[in-house]
Amino acid sequence: MQELATALAQRQADQLYRRRRTVAGPQGVELSIDGKTLLSFCSNDYLGLANDPRLVAALKDGADRFGVGSGAAHLISGHSRAHHELEEALADFTGRPRALLFSTGYMANLGILQALLGRHDQVFEDRYNHASLLDAAKLSGAKLHRYAHGDTTALAEQLATHTSGERLVASDGVFSMDGDQAPLAELARLCKQHDAWLLVDDAHGIGVLGKEGRGSLDAAGLGIDEVPILMGTLGKALGTAGAFVAGSEDLIETLIQQARTYVYTTATPPALAWATLESLRIARAEDWRREKLHVLVARFRAGTAELGLQLMDSQTPIQPLRVGDAATALHLSEQLLARGILVTAIRPPTVPTGTARLRITFSTLHEESQVDRLLGVLEEVLSSSKNQWPQKHTEAHGKNP
Ligand SMILES: *Cc1c(COP(=O)(O)O)cnc(C)c1O
């Protein structure tokens, strides 16, 4: 397998090699890594629930009630009362007739598109959609049309041109690597006009945006008539793991019958669903968690403006600092690490070439003083690596690469 070694060496030379860091304790804004305590700005635990004592207690209680393993797929004997209650709670939360649990967001997206589309159909996707939606399109066999990020004019042209079969438009609600929001109202209008289905993947909106954290659709005032298919994940703001699809009775029954990533996999541990019921309750009730995020994001944006840094156009807890090439992003990330701050460098192919970035994210559990510390260290690191730092002459902050 010499070819593998050669390819890996090339990846390393291109500054694209990725490494895992092993975290010793629980999730939180301070992480214990390699015996050091690092201040982290890169998790998706936006509401700070992943290590909430109430969730830990609910998981233990769930294990006492339901044991650990589910034992089988949902359609065999693995569908527990805990799963069922969580599905009902998620349907209520999203204001839709039904919701269906999947083991992960990745599997949910694969399952939705495979169940709903075939090779005579067409799928339209924003170029910056999450990898799982792109893979889902490939797996479905439908013809994939990608439109430029947020470009609804381009989408309208594609919808007018490619008219055969079923048509489905899929978009992230909040884009995971940019933090900006999809033009949902316009997407919904186009789908109505062209008689296409609309799927919104709200992995980064659920819990964070809208009333009670109901997500991007609630924030945009859109319901099931405008967006028939809503996918959300449980491993980000809700602090547990898994995903759900919410929609009509017929949509959910179709997925139960046909989505292969639903049918042919073991149900997740019921105790996990039990814990998620608790996190959903907390996420809905505790508005202060969302309000605190706004305060932190506003403080960070004001601070970076003072430093003369331009951030991307994001109102969400995802606040990337785009630096251009992969080597610069990696260098800055290492400099931050040397000063006790963990921010990962996001590089191609996760983002387009030339748009490598530090993806900075905030959690409710961050203190304002910690945001100030990040700003101070950023200032120090940027002034010491000035010649590598393209901030002043970069175009880098529009939406397109
Ligand atoms: C994280 C993410 C997923 C995948 O969800 P998992 O539960 O982590 O598999 C899907 N879509 C988007 C937009 C995401 O950010």
Side-chain angles (χ1 to χ4, degrees), residues 104-106 109 130 132 172 176 201 203-204 231 233 236 242:
T104 71
Y106 200 120
N109 282 338
H130 191 261
S132 58
D172 288 13
S176 52
D201 170 343
H204 298 274
M231 194 286 272
T233 67
K236 288 168 180 153

Side-chain angles (χ1 to χ4, degrees), residues 183-194:
L184 292 177
E186 181 60 10
L187 292 180
R189 195 190 65 75
L190 287 174
C191 286
K192 191 129 286 182
Q193 181 189 339
H194 292 276

Side-chain angles (χ1 to χ4, degrees), residues 44 46 102-109 128-133 171-177 201-205 231-236 240-244 318 359:
N44 302 313
Y46 304 118
F102 280 79
S103 301
T104 71
Y106 200 120
M107 290 170 72
N109 282 338
Y128 286 7
N129 273 358
H130 191 261
S132 58
L133 280 172
S171 178
D172 288 13
V174 173
F175 289 88
S176 52
M177 294 301 136
D201 170 343
D202 208 19
H204 298 274
M231 194 286 272
T233 67
L234 308 171
K236 288 168 180 153
T240 60
F244 67 90
I318 305 168
R359 179 176 180 269

Side-chain angles (χ1 to χ4, degrees), residues 350-366:
T350 304
V351 293
T353 302
T355 74
R357 67 201 64 185
L358 297 175
R359 179 176 180 269
I360 297 165
T361 57
F362 293 98
S363 156
T364 297
L365 299 182
H366 281 120

Side-chain angles (χ1 to χ4, degrees), residues 289-353:
R289 291 179 185 271
R290 282 175 284 280
E291 286 155 15
K292 172 88 177 291
L293 278 172
H294 283 297
V295 171
L296 297 169
V297 167
R299 191 176 186 93
F300 179 68
R301 291 189 70 90
T304 47
E306 253 171 55
L307 296 180
L309 299 175
Q310 232 183 323
L311 291 171
M312 297 170 73
D313 181 21
S314 161
Q315 306 303 315
T316 68
I318 305 168
Q319 294 289 328
L321 195 57
R322 195 145 117 182
V323 301
D325 65 295
T328 306
L330 202 58
H331 172 76
L332 290 172
S333 167
E334 281 164 3
Q335 294 295 304
L336 289 167
L337 192 64
R339 290 159 179 82
I341 291 188
L342 184 65
V343 174
T344 32
I346 305 284
R347 293 160 286 164
T350 304
V351 293
T353 302

